[in-house]
Amino acid sequence: LGVLGLALRSAGLLTFFGCCSLPLYAIGLLLFPHFVLRTSSALPRRLFALSFSTSLSLLTLVLLEVLDTLTPSERCILLRAHLLLHLLLLVLGLPLVQLALLLRRLLCVSLVAALRLALLPLVGWLWLFHKLGEPFPVFAQPPQSIGLSSLAALWELPSLYLSRAGLIGVALMAVMSGYG
């Protein structure tokens, strides 16, 4: 870890992407046909690799925080970027592709037509995802009542949707474990 730590201290953000995120993406591309699906198109393979690399990059960032390798500002930027990318992938990317591939198989249409047809169910999913977190308040006060500007309220949206994704994840784990 000495050479990696020295490289990360010197170049920071770009080195992390070059030494960590891109190799993990390549490993995800290599692992997909062996452990997930043997024959598939490139899109699921790339999405799996992207999800694999962002998940393990987040784990690496936590370990690098313990080792105090990156500066706090670099860590904050990398954590926010990876969390936002992973959240976009989980909330928008994967549902859109799953709906499009399902519609493509059911209706026997092209991928472009299936993507267009999948936009309506995706809007329904996004509405349901947004409404899911309303009974569970994250903030003591909603961002509008705090007096935040619209730009500051926009920065609070990822934390709201991250809490909703966490709520779904915890509920699914509880169901899969047999309610504890």
Side-chain angles (χ1 to χ4, degrees):
L1 191 65
V3 174
L4 179 63
L6 180 65
L8 284 172
R9 278 191 194 273
S10 62
L13 302 174
L14 291 177
T15 304
F16 183 80
F17 283 111
C19 292
C20 184
S21 296
L22 289 178
L24 287 173
Y25 179 79
I27 290 170
L29 283 175
L30 292 173
L31 289 177
F32 185 82
H34 296 292
F35 296 107
V36 182
L37 290 174
R38 299 233 184 269
T39 58
S40 70
S41 64
L43 186 60
R45 193 174 342 154
R46 288 185 181 136
L47 285 173
F48 173 81
L50 187 61
S51 178
F52 182 81
S53 69
T54 54
S55 297
L56 288 180
S57 293
L58 283 170
L59 175 65
T60 305
L61 282 169
V62 169
L63 293 175
L64 290 176
E65 184 172 359
V66 170
L67 295 174
D68 197 27
T69 304
L70 296 169
T71 64
S73 62
E74 290 173 339
R75 259 195 319 263
C76 183
I77 290 170
L78 286 169
L79 278 170
R80 283 182 184 231
H82 280 84
L83 275 174
L84 186 62
L85 178 64
H86 206 59
L87 190 61
L88 285 173
L89 187 64
L90 288 175
V91 175
L92 285 175
L94 292 175
L96 177 64
V97 170
Q98 286 177 345
L99 289 168
L101 291 176
L102 177 71
L103 290 172
R104 182 180 179 192
R105 180 169 289 178
L106 290 177
L107 302 176
C108 297
V109 295
S110 69
L111 184 60
V112 175
L115 281 170
R116 288 183 188 144
L117 289 172
L119 288 178
L120 186 63
L122 182 69
V123 169
W125 155 250
L126 291 175
W127 178 80
L128 180 70
F129 187 78
H130 180 73
K131 289 294 182 183
L132 178 73
E134 285 182 359
F136 308 104
V138 176
F139 297 112
Q141 299 174 346
Q144 294 82 14
S145 65
I146 296 173
L148 298 174
S149 68
S150 61
L151 184 61
L154 184 64
W155 283 108
E156 295 297 326
L157 279 178
S159 65
L160 287 172
Y161 291 122
L162 187 63
S163 68
R164 285 168 169 83
L167 178 70
I168 292 172
V170 168
L172 284 175
M173 291 302 290
V175 167
M176 289 175 20
S177 70
Y179 297 101

